[in-house]
Amino acid sequence: MKGALPFLLLAPALLALVAVFVVPIATIGRIALYVSEGSGAMREAVALDTFRTLFADSFTWELTRNSAHLALLCASLATLIAYPIALFLFRTESRFRPLLAILAVAPLLVSSVVRVVGWLVVLGDQGLINAALLSLGLVDRAVPLINNWTGVVIGLTESVMPYVILSLLAGFGRLDRTVEEAAATLGAPPWRVFLRVTLPLSLPAIALGWLIGFVLSFSAFVSPKLLGGGRVFVLATEIYDLAMQAVDWPAAAAMALYALSLTLLVLAAYTVLTRRVAA
Amino acid sequence: MIFRALVIAAYGFLLAPAIFVVAIAFSSDRFLTFPPPGLSLRWFATLFEHEQMMAAMQRSAILAAIVTTLSLAIGVPAAYAIARLRFPGRGAIFAALTAPLLLPTLVVGLGILLVFFPYGLAGTWPGLALAHLAVTLPLVVRIMTTAFATLPPDLEDAAATLGATPLKVAFRITLPLALPGLIAAAALSFLISFDEVVISLFIVGPRLSTLPVEMYRYVEGHTDPMVAALAVVLILLSISVVLLVERLVGFTRTVSK
Amino acid sequence: MARLALEGLTKAYGTAPPAVDGLTLEAEEGEFLALLGPSGCGKTTTLRMVAGLVPADRGRIRLGEEDITAAPVHTRGIGLVFQSYALFPHMDAVGNIGFGLEMQGVPKAERQARVAEALRLTRLEGLGHRRPRELSGGQQQRVALARAIAIRPRLLLLDECLSNLDAKLREEMRGEIRDIQRASATTALFVTHDQTEALSICDTVAVMHRGRIEQRGTPEEIYERPATRFVASFIGRMNAIDGPAPVMTREGPLGAGETAMVRPHRVRLLREGAAAEGDNAASGTVRRITYIGDIVQVQAATPLGPLAAEVSGASPLWRGLDVGAPVGLAWSSSDTLRFPA
Ligand SMILES: Nc1ncnc2c1ncn2[C@@H]1O[C@H](COP(=O)(O)OP(=O)(O)O)[C@@H](O)[C@H]1O
Ligand SMILES: [Mg+2]
């Protein structure tokens, strides 16, 4: 009886996990081996045709480059912008800290579609930025900030920022105020304290934050789709289009598997690297 | 000083979309024009008369309530076992149950479509509710495992020596003490399910669509301030949930270490 | 209120040497028994096995006529006061104290009366509606005690329950715990690593070492007639002289592979030239003079090794004595114990 209790408590969760996670991922693997017969039909098989087509298509490589590029850019920008916020939250003793902490992760609490609408308002042709630029006479025609890569990079950077902030905060554990104070008493001006003490000590946090930003941006869907206005193609948008527009499930599954493997590869590389650095 | 300016600028960037979408929702114009030529509530009126959106909102609320109940009912016992009981493979089970948080939602969504479609689960209530579990359950397990693991030591033992049966210990001591975590987990699960769009896009059906999906499709087609009004409604909903939780237990304690 | 008997109780965590190793111990009905031992010797583990919180690997636990070795915790009716107090933070003092009665299904009116009684016994009147965090350390300690005795336990277990209090409060609480235990005539097992605490309030002391009982006896027996070298050195201060050496002990002359032990306050301090009395003597030079409350300890280097003598602070013997001065030390063989090294 006693030995069965953990199992009884865990069983429903494990069953749910199998139903909505394990089996779906396995099914993607299985259907990637089917053969597509056009217009939504597919034939049960164990064939590598779909993968052959996938890797022979130069579009696949373009999508990979696009996704990687986008993720690199957004992860870096998000880490750069999130760092001051995280450091501030880590240190402040303000009684508004709780409120400021909530604001920092607030974007997580609204739908990604809502945030896209917000960026349309800010970046649109008649939006805030263009209105400001035009009225200041800096430009004489609206600068296209949406329906292109610019919009996607801006929107996606913002949408992964809360996760980056949380990772940075989690990683700041080793950052000890007294060490910075020690450096200051030894005669280091604030900017040198930052460069010589704070920044090196927060490198692990930065690496973690960047990784989270990268992984999330790499497979992001809503921002590239809606802010890209159909002109930004990445792996995620293509997987969706293959599955829902072209209804070519084997192709969608193969590409999903490919994108998933790339994500896992990045995660594995990070794990290996941090182990090596720690050792 | 430079640091402070950087922090303010970073917050500005982070919150810009939310702030300006509120401004534009009260516009009298037909487009997302900035600054709004005039103020009006016409887009809120349009939104509330938009039957499809209103029906979707109601469905999403019901769905979120179902998903939250399910995730707690399934996730809380699992988290309890992981945090408070000793058995082989604890760490591995925790890792497995929280792994979906780390992998691309889009891929999970596609997988769920491929599995659910042949069984006719796509576009059905059970199908949607189950699919949302893929994102809410790992979160509940993670929050509640922490909540249970950080309970003060000895309290459950003390209750047992005072004659409380294991069931009484759970309901009189463990759950009340884990209540802050429980409420936070419930609120997050509700909001996440209510806002979920990626997985939903794969498995909603023509007759059963959720609010974020309707909104996604609307934005693909038009850009008028009605979606801004809708965005404001959703932001207000999130703020109310956060305030409610804050009122009950101090949400801030759960997000800020 | 029942007799407690532990027979060959054993518990090992993982592969480490057993935390409790074949422990056998009895506490008579109404007895206040101290379980005294250094940190890590297995005291808490023993208490938790008795309470039913940790299953014993081997051995029996008998309470009265009943074998409770395998009984579930909540059926044992044993009051346990935790070192951390383990008060329920979401209940006030009354809620905490009444919890056990509620679990027993005691009707509300009686419950209230018994909670009030427990509050009175522990001098907590008027504080019943405070939450634990609104109480001082001493008050929390009392609530923990009140909660444990409110269920009228057959046995009361106290796990280093005074160690979080400051010295003065600790002394006060010792007396109170003793009074409460006596008034209720509850058999009690009082765990501590503090010998003063154990010797001053308990009827009987059991000295524990590496998961076993080394000696069980009255405070006087333990102090005057330690059964093992460990007990001798753990309780009170002790001089140790390794044999072979020209030292006479109660049991005869000190040979190789043996250690002689004598308490510093039984060693007399002799000024230079004074005739040695007693059958053991050594001369040496003063190394250090230390005040320990109202006694003074003089440590000297002698051919037998370092030896200490203690005299009253009021004694003229140590006045004018400086580090480096020659002194003589003398003690009687009847105060000298001998143990295998
Ligand atoms: N839950 C546990 N898991 C593993 N080892 C433990 C556990 N509890 C106690 N121990 C070990 O058992 C030994 C005895 O511990 P304990 O009974 O707490 O001693 P005491 O209360 O006398 O200080 C110690 O070495 C301790 O490290
Ligand atoms: Mg202990």
Side-chain angles (χ1 to χ4, degrees):
Chain A
M1 160 62 211
K2 199 136 201 183
L5 186 62
F7 178 76
L8 285 176
L9 294 174
L10 284 164
L14 289 173
L15 272 178
L17 179 78
V18 168
V20 299
F21 189 68
V22 179
V23 172
I25 301 286
T27 306
I28 289 181
R30 180 68 192 98
I31 289 193
L33 300 175
Y34 282 19
V35 176
S36 175
E37 310 213 291
S39 57
M42 53 186 182
R43 178 163 51 82
E44 215 178 305
V46 183
L48 289 174
D49 300 30
T50 315
F51 283 104
R52 237 172 259 134
T53 322
L54 179 75
F55 292 124
D57 192 346
S58 67
F59 190 48
T60 306
W61 306 114
E62 192 188 326
L63 291 172
T64 310
R65 267 197 306 279
N66 286 351
S67 283
H69 227 119
L70 181 66
L72 219 72
L73 208 58
C74 292
S76 308
L77 283 173
T79 310
L80 205 64
I81 307 175
Y83 188 79
I85 294 187
L87 196 60
F88 167 76
L89 285 177
F90 184 72
R91 285 187 178 165
T92 185
E93 271 147 32
S94 155
R95 63 201 173 87
F96 296 114
R97 184 185 185 279
L99 179 69
L100 292 166
I102 287 205
L103 282 179
V105 297
L108 292 183
L109 303 173
V110 295
S111 176
S112 46
V113 188
V114 169
R115 272 176 286 153
V116 164
V117 173
W119 282 117
L120 295 178
V121 172
V122 174
L123 304 173
D125 285 356
Q126 288 148 328
L128 174 76
I129 291 183
N130 273 311
L133 290 176
L134 285 167
S135 69
L136 289 173
L138 290 174
V139 295
D140 42 47
R141 266 192 309 126
V143 187
L145 295 171
I146 50 166
N147 299 334
N148 55 22
W149 281 97
T150 316
V152 175
V153 169
I154 293 176
L156 192 52
T157 298
E158 190 249 5
S159 81
V160 299
M161 259 180 70
Y163 295 99
V164 178
I165 293 174
L166 287 177
S167 315
L168 285 173
L169 278 175
F172 278 167
R174 299 187 351 173
L175 214 56
D176 182 353
R177 196 72 232 239
T178 58
V179 179
E180 295 174 307
E181 285 165 356
T185 63
L186 294 170
W191 63 274
R192 298 197 71 167
V193 172
F194 177 77
L195 284 183
R196 295 292 303 278
V197 179
T198 316
L199 194 60
L201 282 178
S202 54
L203 275 181
I206 292 176
L208 179 66
W210 190 90
L211 172 83
I212 298 294
F214 185 92
V215 168
L216 290 173
S217 316
F218 188 76
S219 57
F221 169 72
V222 174
S223 300
K225 189 77 177 174
L226 290 181
L227 287 168
R231 272 171 242 169
V232 167
F233 300 99
V234 290
L235 288 169
T237 55
E238 185 63 16
I239 293 169
Y240 182 76
D241 288 345
L242 282 173
M244 306 303 281
Q245 251 97 61
V247 200
D248 185 345
W249 285 4
M255 190 171 278
L257 213 57
Y258 169 60
L260 183 64
S261 320
L262 292 178
T263 303
L264 291 177
L265 214 64
V266 173
L267 288 173
Y270 170 83
T271 314
V272 170
L273 279 179
T274 47
R275 284 246 173 88
R276 180 133 334 144
V277 170
Chain B
M1 272 313 96
I2 303 173
F3 179 61
R4 179 145 291 196
L6 279 176
V7 173
I8 293 172
Y11 265 109
F13 176 72
L14 189 65
L15 300 174
I19 293 167
F20 292 105
V21 83
V22 175
I24 216 81
F26 295 92
S27 172
S28 58
D29 200 37
R30 287 185 44 235
F31 303 100
L32 298 173
T33 312
F34 221 93
L39 295 179
S40 90
L41 291 173
R42 62 180 279 209
W43 294 109
F44 286 95
T46 313
L47 170 66
F48 294 138
E49 279 155 20
H50 197 295
E51 275 177 28
Q52 206 176 336
M53 283 293 177
M54 288 296 111
M57 189 180 292
Q58 196 184 359
R59 276 195 299 271
S60 277
I62 296 172
L63 179 65
I66 296 172
V67 169
T68 305
T69 313
L70 271 179
S71 328
L72 292 180
I74 297 175
V76 172
Y80 180 85
I82 292 168
R84 308 296 289 186
L85 304 179
R86 281 165 194 285
F87 54 92
R90 238 162 25 123
I93 288 178
F94 179 71
L97 284 175
T98 52
L101 292 174
L102 216 61
L103 299 181
T105 323
L106 185 88
V107 175
V108 179
L110 173 66
I112 290 177
L113 169 73
L114 299 186
V115 175
F116 283 17
F117 192 83
Y119 293 106
L121 277 169
T124 67
W125 284 97
L128 266 176
L130 260 179
H132 279 197
L133 278 186
V135 276
T136 56
L137 184 60
L139 200 75
V140 166
V141 169
R142 189 151 87 180
I143 295 176
M144 290 315 294
T145 302
T146 312
F148 286 131
T150 52
L151 286 186
D154 295 341
L155 294 183
E156 293 165 309
D157 287 347
T161 63
L162 292 167
T165 57
L167 207 62
K168 283 230 168 82
V169 173
F171 282 97
R172 291 293 306 276
I173 308 295
T174 318
L175 283 177
L177 289 173
L179 195 63
L182 207 63
I183 291 176
L188 278 179
S189 256
F190 185 89
L191 284 180
I192 283 174
S193 165
F194 191 82
D195 288 336
E196 209 299 314
V197 64
V198 177
I199 292 181
S200 306
L201 272 171
F202 281 104
I203 57 159
V204 292
R207 270 165 302 135
L208 186 65
S209 178
T210 65
L211 184 63
V213 169
E214 285 302 311
M215 194 176 172
Y216 172 96
R217 293 195 173 141
Y218 193 88
V219 173
E220 267 189 324
H222 359 258
T223 45
D224 60 39
M226 191 192 88
V227 280
L230 179 53
V232 170
V233 171
L234 293 182
I235 290 172
L236 282 178
L237 172 84
S238 295
I239 292 177
S240 347
V241 170
V242 170
L243 285 182
L244 181 73
V245 173
E246 179 68 50
R247 208 41 209 277
L248 290 173
V249 291
F251 184 76
T252 45
R253 273 198 324 211
T254 53
V255 290
S256 59
K257 24 171 207 174
Chain C
M1 284 130 278
R3 181 172 176 281
L4 171 72
L6 311 180
E7 296 159 18
L9 215 51
T10 300
K11 171 74 197 175
Y13 294 106
T15 54
V20 175
D21 193 0
L23 180 141
T24 295
L25 180 65
E26 279 168 27
E28 296 307 324
E29 198 168 319
E31 187 176 29
F32 197 20
L33 173 67
L35 194 55
L36 171 66
S39 184
C41 73
K43 305 181 297 289
T44 297
T45 304
T46 306
L47 276 203
R48 293 177 73 86
M49 281 193 284
V50 174
L53 296 167
V54 168
D57 294 344
R58 269 200 310 280
R60 320 244 106 238
I61 303 167
R62 271 181 233 286
L63 192 56
E65 297 307 306
E66 208 184 324
D67 184 334
I68 58 164
T69 315
V73 194
H74 62 274
T75 61
R76 293 194 183 192
I78 292 176
L80 173 56
V81 181
F82 290 75
Q83 184 169 3
S84 61
Y85 308 151
L87 297 179
F88 306 131
H90 56 308
M91 300 177 193
D92 59 14
V94 168
N96 268 281
I97 298 169
F99 184 85
L101 301 174
E102 202 184 318
M103 293 301 120
Q104 292 174 356
V106 175
K108 189 147 186 220
E110 190 191 336
R111 201 158 79 212
Q112 278 169 343
R114 277 171 67 178
V115 169
E117 160 77 9
L119 284 169
R120 194 183 54 70
L121 259 176
T122 49
R123 300 196 297 146
L124 284 167
E125 294 109 321
L127 299 177
H129 293 289
R130 296 230 190 135
R131 295 271 176 111
R133 67 167 171 280
E134 297 160 344
L135 296 167
S136 72
Q139 290 164 343
Q140 291 179 23
Q141 207 284 328
R142 281 168 221 256
V143 175
L145 181 63
R147 185 176 69 177
I149 58 172
I151 59 170
R152 302 206 177 132
R154 296 191 287 170
L155 173 70
L156 183 61
L157 305 173
L158 304 115
D159 191 1
E160 313 224 7
C161 62
L162 299 179
S163 62
N164 293 329
L165 303 179
D166 60 54
K168 193 139 194 289
L169 193 56
R170 189 156 44 194
E171 227 162 278
E172 211 178 289
M173 283 305 298
R174 270 182 211 159
E176 282 185 30
I177 289 179
R178 177 79 241 223
D179 292 344
I180 291 169
Q181 183 268 340
R182 216 172 257 157
S184 57
T186 312
T187 314
L189 199 54
F190 182 91
V191 157
T192 178
H193 66 263
D194 179 342
Q195 43 168 306
T196 323
E197 205 159 278
L199 298 177
S200 64
I201 59 169
C202 293
D203 302 321
T204 318
V205 176
V207 181
M208 191 167 172
H209 180 47
R210 295 202 183 133
R212 295 168 160 276
I213 299 298
E214 295 253 330
Q215 187 178 3
R216 181 192 193 284
T218 62
E220 196 204 341
E221 282 166 359
I222 298 281
Y223 188 82
E224 297 295 344
R225 290 184 292 283
T228 66
R229 186 186 165 147
F230 171 80
V231 175
S233 52
F234 184 69
I235 308 287
R237 292 179 293 277
M238 199 58 112
N239 285 308
I241 304 161
D242 287 326
V247 173
M248 200 59 191
T249 72
R250 242 184 238 174
E251 291 89 5
L254 182 68
E258 291 173 332
T259 302
M261 294 193 133
V262 58
R263 298 208 179 269
H265 70 103
R266 294 295 165 89
V267 177
R268 285 184 306 280
L269 195 62
L270 308 168
R271 299 306 285 260
E272 205 186 358
E277 29 177 325
D279 37 13
N280 285 309
S283 55
T285 51
V286 176
R287 275 291 143 86
R288 190 185 299 154
I289 300 175
T290 319
Y291 298 82
I292 309 169
D294 38 7
I295 56 174
V296 171
Q297 187 181 73
V298 176
Q299 279 168 284
T302 76
L304 296 174
L307 287 177
E310 283 170 8
V311 295
S312 154
S315 155
L317 271 172
W318 65 278
R319 297 205 179 268
L321 211 55
D322 279 321
V323 171
V327 283
L329 301 165
W331 66 96
S332 152
S333 61
S334 61
D335 291 331
T336 311
L337 306 168
R338 187 179 69 178
F339 298 104

